[in-house]
Amino acid sequence: MWAGGFWRAALSRAPCGCRSQSAVAQLRGILEGELEGIRAAGTWKSERIITSRQGPHIHVDGVSGGILNFCANNYLGLSSHPEVIQAGLQALQEFGAGLSSVRFICGTQSIHKSLEAKIARFHQREDAILYPSCFDANAGLFEALLTPADAVLSDELNHASIIDGIRLCKAHKYRYRHLDMADLEAKLKEAQKHRLRLVATDGAFSMDGDIAPLQDICRLASQYGALVFVDECHATGFLGPTGRGTDELLGVMDQVTIVNSTLGKALGGASGGYTTGPGPLVSLLRQRARPYLFSNSLPPAVVGCASKALDLLMESNTIVQSMAAKTQRFRTKMEAAGFTISGASHPICPVMLGDARLASCMADDMLKRGIFVIGFSYPVVPKGKARIRVQISAVHSEEDIDRCVEAFVEVGRLHKALP
């Protein structure tokens, strides 16, 4: 009997438990091989454990003393704002820990409807719908809206959640080169045969800190009869004169059809996402968006925190205005020291290093000097474009920023990333 036949026959006579253990052993071998490959490539991602609340000053397990945090999406510093925390506690007391249900069964409370109305008012749209996260909002939108008769045109560097959401839909898919308006126009011409054409882009791109040219995108969309969708996760709350986002920053709020964004970054930092746009679209999503229909409602405490964060933002734009000066201070000092900082004028400030192992080692040495930053490498960013992504918060002081720059210079010289 040939070898393959012998083992097949032996396995057929083996007890089911033995075959099951053999399959688990095979799986473990495959997984260990994959994990070892990640370690060998220098792209292993360790999780540091924070033992305090989120903020510019934190405590990290295993590290003595306070740490300056420069890698959170806590753009406005509201994740630990006393009024935001109090609003969450009040919602918890009044509405309970959770709904134990999805929205359309018995999981919609008055605070959910109130927050949706507030979001729509903030973005100057007709209606809004809440999701457990913006990843879910992006997963729910394209499949519910677009059919095989339609087309979606996506920037090649869009967030993974947009890419995955587009994969779920049956529309014709076009990918245009990053921020390349000539390529987008060529794709729009090619897509004219389809019923609906939807241009999908991040407003601010989270890895490079660059901003979509929405004026040009909206002009092309109007010229070729397309709709515009913008993911504003890294813009809502702090870009634009009143923090409405990139569409306000670039003066095209009335030309962007659909906005998706998050409550988990500038707006309280907890969780939750949303879609805001035309009323009929939001109504359709309530009927067809699978992450909405089959996920539990947002917990009341999260809703309360986000609602208060929006209140604070709409009452005053003082926090928003402080962001630009602090961002410029960091960028200017780092570039003067000899570092290359990607993007422009966004509080995401990627310190470009190229080598994955260098980014990881420098981030580790920054922590030893009391600065919490993280190295980003493949597959989060393309190979050869590893970086340490620094994120400025409105609650960082000028002294915090200067201390971070000083540590970067010291570590950069140690690792020969600077002369």
Side-chain angles (χ1 to χ4, degrees), residues 355-400:
D355 182 74
R357 199 177 300 277
L358 173 63
S360 178
C361 290
M362 281 186 60
D364 288 343
D365 283 345
M366 289 289 286
L367 185 61
K368 294 174 184 176
R369 288 158 177 80
I371 309 294
F372 193 149
V373 289
I374 294 293
F376 284 72
S377 56
Y378 181 82
V380 180
V381 296
K383 290 181 178 179
K385 293 194 175 181
R387 78 282 307 267
I388 292 176
R389 188 180 72 175
V390 175
Q391 290 173 268
I392 306 300
S393 172
V395 289
H396 283 130
S397 67
E398 291 185 353
E399 291 76 15
D400 293 339

Side-chain angles (χ1 to χ4, degrees), residues 273-404:
Y274 57 85
T275 296
T276 185
L281 168 65
V282 171
S283 294
L284 180 69
L285 293 175
R286 294 192 194 280
Q287 302 301 313
R288 290 187 179 171
R290 293 168 68 84
Y292 177 83
L293 290 170
F294 300 106
S295 297
N296 262 24
S297 309
L298 271 181
V302 171
V303 177
C305 288
S307 184
K308 175 53 69 173
L310 273 173
D311 288 342
L312 293 171
L313 190 57
M314 290 192 282
E315 287 168 6
S316 171
N317 64 351
T318 302
I319 305 177
V320 175
Q321 292 174 341
S322 74
M323 290 290 296
K326 292 176 181 179
T327 297
Q328 189 58 41
R329 184 182 187 91
F330 179 81
R331 286 179 172 272
T332 299
K333 284 179 172 286
M334 287 290 285
E335 288 170 352
F339 286 103
T340 298
I341 311 298
S342 181
S345 303
H346 193 283
I348 290 174
C349 303
V351 182
M352 303 304 293
L353 298 168
D355 182 74
R357 199 177 300 277
L358 173 63
S360 178
C361 290
M362 281 186 60
D364 288 343
D365 283 345
M366 289 289 286
L367 185 61
K368 294 174 184 176
R369 288 158 177 80
I371 309 294
F372 193 149
V373 289
I374 294 293
F376 284 72
S377 56
Y378 181 82
V380 180
V381 296
K383 290 181 178 179
K385 293 194 175 181
R387 78 282 307 267
I388 292 176
R389 188 180 72 175
V390 175
Q391 290 173 268
I392 306 300
S393 172
V395 289
H396 283 130
S397 67
E398 291 185 353
E399 291 76 15
D400 293 339
I401 291 169
D402 292 349
R403 183 178 157 198
C404 181

Side-chain angles (χ1 to χ4, degrees), residues 33-86:
E34 290 288 329
L35 295 173
E36 185 53 42
I38 295 172
R39 293 187 188 95
T43 58
W44 183 268
K45 297 163 189 63
S46 300
E47 295 183 1
R48 296 169 180 168
I49 301 170
I50 298 173
T51 59
S52 63
R53 65 177 58 183
Q54 184 63 276
H57 302 265
I58 59 175
H59 291 277
V60 176
D61 187 40
V63 182
S64 61
I67 302 295
L68 277 175
N69 187 5
F70 275 91
C71 61
N73 296 314
N74 186 25
Y75 293 110
L76 299 178
L78 297 180
S79 62
S80 296
H81 192 286
E83 291 185 51
V84 172
I85 293 172
Q86 185 57 42

Side-chain angles (χ1 to χ4, degrees), residues 202-214:
D202 275 310
F205 290 82
S206 62
M207 286 300 111
D208 293 306
D210 47 5
I211 295 171
L214 289 185

Side-chain angles (χ1 to χ4, degrees), residues 7 19 65 116 140 196 233 238:
W7 284 110
R19 292 200 297 272
E116 287 170 337
L196 292 178
C233 286
F238 58 94

Side-chain angles (χ1 to χ4, degrees), residues 26-314:
Q26 180 188 24
L27 172 65
R28 291 179 67 87
I30 291 170
L31 296 178
E32 288 298 338
E34 290 288 329
L35 295 173
E36 185 53 42
I38 295 172
R39 293 187 188 95
T43 58
W44 183 268
K45 297 163 189 63
S46 300
E47 295 183 1
R48 296 169 180 168
I49 301 170
I50 298 173
T51 59
S52 63
R53 65 177 58 183
Q54 184 63 276
H57 302 265
I58 59 175
H59 291 277
V60 176
D61 187 40
V63 182
S64 61
I67 302 295
L68 277 175
N69 187 5
F70 275 91
C71 61
N73 296 314
N74 186 25
Y75 293 110
L76 299 178
L78 297 180
S79 62
S80 296
H81 192 286
E83 291 185 51
V84 172
I85 293 172
Q86 185 57 42
L89 290 171
Q90 184 177 337
L92 182 64
Q93 289 284 354
E94 185 175 351
F95 293 97
L99 277 300
S100 306
S101 178
V102 299
R103 288 282 297 268
F104 81 94
I105 299 177
C106 63
T108 300
Q109 292 175 318
S110 56
I111 53 172
H112 294 95
K113 299 304 294 182
S114 174
L115 179 56
E116 287 170 337
K118 193 175 293 186
I119 288 168
R121 187 165 68 252
F122 177 76
H123 284 284
Q124 299 176 20
R125 281 359 188 243
E126 293 176 14
D127 202 356
I129 176 174
L130 289 170
Y131 288 89
S133 69
C134 191
F135 208 113
D136 287 317
N138 285 336
L141 174 68
F142 302 99
E143 184 182 27
L145 174 63
L146 302 175
T147 73
D150 304 316
V152 57
L153 304 94
S154 176
D155 187 293
E156 66 179 346
L157 293 188
N158 276 338
H159 190 269
S161 60
I162 300 174
I163 295 169
D164 286 357
I166 289 172
R167 284 173 177 163
L168 291 171
C169 79
K170 293 182 171 61
H172 294 264
K173 301 167 181 67
Y174 298 82
R175 186 174 66 174
Y176 63 92
R177 290 188 293 273
H178 183 49
L179 308 183
D180 188 330
M181 295 299 97
D183 193 37
L184 173 58
E185 182 170 19
K187 300 293 194 301
L188 280 167
K189 288 178 180 178
E190 188 179 344
Q192 287 300 291
K193 57 194 172 187
H194 303 298
R195 184 188 66 160
L196 292 178
R197 293 160 297 282
L198 178 67
V199 180
T201 183
D202 275 310
F205 290 82
S206 62
M207 286 300 111
D208 293 306
D210 47 5
I211 295 171
L214 289 185
Q215 292 172 329
D216 292 333
I217 289 173
C218 289
R219 175 182 56 79
L220 288 172
S222 176
Q223 182 179 345
Y224 291 98
L227 306 167
V228 178
F229 159 86
V230 181
D231 181 307
E232 291 282 65
C233 286
H234 290 276
T236 297
F238 58 94
L239 287 189
T242 62
R244 263 62 178 178
T246 54
D247 57 353
E248 182 191 43
L249 176 72
L250 299 174
V252 292
M253 289 186 75
D254 61 337
Q255 299 174 57
V256 173
T257 311
I258 308 165
V259 169
N260 277 11
S261 195
T262 182
L263 308 173
K265 293 182 172 58
L267 301 182
S271 185
Y274 57 85
T275 296
T276 185
L281 168 65
V282 171
S283 294
L284 180 69
L285 293 175
R286 294 192 194 280
Q287 302 301 313
R288 290 187 179 171
R290 293 168 68 84
Y292 177 83
L293 290 170
F294 300 106
S295 297
N296 262 24
S297 309
L298 271 181
V302 171
V303 177
C305 288
S307 184
K308 175 53 69 173
L310 273 173
D311 288 342
L312 293 171
L313 190 57
M314 290 192 282

